[in-house]
Amino acid sequence: MDLISIIGQNRLYNFHSHTQFCDGRATMAEFAAEAVKRGFTHYGFSPHSPIPIESPCNMAFDQVQLYLDEVTRLKSLYIAMEIDYLGKEWGPANEYFQALPLDYRIGSVHFIPSQEGILVDIDGRYESFRMKMEQFFHNDIRYVVDTFFDRSLDMVAEGHFDIIGHFDKIGHNASHFSPGIEDKTWYRKHISHLIEAIADSGIIAEINTKAWTDHHRMFPAPSHWQEVKRAGIPLIINSDAHQPMLIDASRTEAFDKLAAIG
């Protein structure tokens, strides 16, 4: 599947969405109907992949075949997964995901290990993140950020996926916990190192618009887009929709911002 060719043709696509098979709030059929209604030419499903630990947001292993069968029934759509990188033992390069008949794979980091080795979801609302900082990470935000980017670099190095999802998403919760952290020299070095790795890998970088309306955030932050473009990294604009009405949410704003920087 030539994603770069598709995203270069028009804006009527979305390759990051979540349905009843993970933490989405509608069925695949409802998302498909909305995509047709809006005139989308390409639409992809990317449920949070199964993982070998408990998570309310991820697909169950016994639901995978049902998901594949439903995509076959709906036809003309793309089948994918947003695959969680948990370390060398579990991620997009794992033979389990390589054996699945997916059109493309999104690689994302949502979980990082605590100092004691417990895998913790650092995504989601800040209220939950704040409690986890105290409960699991000894309020050490530098450790959390360093580990997030180290894991991201490891995932890129292992490869076997097509799109890196929201590659600076830790910045949102980290900035609430420690205002100004994204302006720190060490933080920006993490961003630069990851951009260099993505460029070397040939992976597509996602501009994720999910949080724009509620938090005025896109991932990566627009302040990094020039650096991404200079590195020659292809960009795809996804809404990370969990509801059909949001399949095109804030994507126009992202396209306009991208055009504004040339």
Side-chain angles (χ1 to χ4, degrees):
M1 179 182 177
D2 188 356
L3 283 168
I4 294 177
S5 176
I6 292 170
I7 63 180
Q9 292 172 1
N10 60 56
R11 300 182 175 188
L12 295 173
Y13 66 78
N14 187 28
F15 288 100
H16 192 161
S17 64
H18 300 277
T19 68
Q20 82 270 28
F21 286 101
C22 57
D23 59 347
R25 300 176 186 174
T27 66
M28 289 171 67
E30 290 171 305
F31 276 86
E34 186 68 19
V36 171
K37 176 182 174 182
R38 292 176 183 250
F40 274 46
T41 59
H42 300 83
Y43 196 83
F45 295 114
S46 55
H48 292 289
S49 69
I51 53 176
I53 58 175
E54 284 294 320
S55 169
C57 297
N58 290 70
M59 174 188 288
F61 282 97
D62 62 8
Q63 292 287 298
V64 171
Q65 191 58 52
L66 292 174
Y67 163 62
L68 299 177
D69 291 344
E70 180 65 356
V71 172
T72 299
R73 185 182 74 82
L74 293 171
K75 306 291 185 182
S76 75
L77 299 168
Y78 295 107
I79 181 170
M81 280 188 184
E82 182 180 15
I83 301 170
D84 278 289
Y85 184 78
L86 304 183
K88 295 187 182 302
E89 73 284 354
W90 196 261
N94 187 284
E95 61 183 13
Y96 173 79
F97 297 112
Q98 292 304 305
L100 293 177
L102 304 177
D103 293 311
Y104 63 94
R105 294 162 178 82
I106 300 174
S108 296
V109 175
H110 299 95
F111 296 80
I112 66 169
S114 69
Q115 292 92 328
E116 289 73 37
I118 301 169
L119 283 169
V120 181
D121 184 355
I122 45 83
D123 197 24
R125 296 184 179 278
Y126 175 68
E127 294 77 12
S128 174
F129 179 83
R130 179 69 186 85
M131 290 188 291
K132 291 172 182 176
M133 283 297 300
E134 182 173 358
Q135 182 179 358
F136 296 105
F137 298 111
H138 311 291
N139 287 323
D140 187 347
I141 191 63
R142 179 68 185 261
Y143 169 84
V144 170
V145 172
D146 286 347
T147 305
F148 175 88
F149 283 109
D150 288 345
R151 288 264 159 153
S152 298
L153 285 171
D154 289 344
M155 179 178 71
V156 170
E158 291 183 29
H160 295 281
F161 63 100
D162 306 284
I163 302 169
I164 184 167
H166 44 62
F167 73 70
D168 71 339
K169 198 171 186 186
I170 189 61
H172 178 57
N173 279 332
S175 290
H176 280 294
F177 187 86
S178 179
I181 194 171
E182 291 176 278
D183 296 323
K184 300 291 186 182
T185 300
W186 63 268
Y187 185 98
R188 297 190 70 85
K189 283 183 177 178
H190 274 309
I191 293 290
S192 294
H193 290 160
L194 184 53
I195 288 174
E196 290 172 6
I198 295 169
D200 290 341
S201 72
I203 293 167
I204 298 169
E206 172 188 74
I207 293 178
N208 188 304
T209 64
K210 177 183 175 182
W212 180 254
T213 299
D214 291 338
H215 302 290
H216 217 61
R217 297 276 315 215
M218 292 185 187
F219 307 106
S223 59
H224 303 310
W225 294 4
Q226 282 280 21
E227 188 175 358
V228 172
K229 290 188 68 177
R230 282 196 299 270
I233 298 170
L235 289 167
I236 189 167
I237 298 177
N238 290 326
S239 72
D240 197 352
H242 288 61
Q243 300 178 54
M245 70 176 68
L246 299 177
I247 65 172
D248 203 24
S250 303
R251 292 178 67 254
T252 297
E253 289 88 334
F255 278 113
D256 290 346
K257 284 180 176 293
L258 202 56
I261 65 171

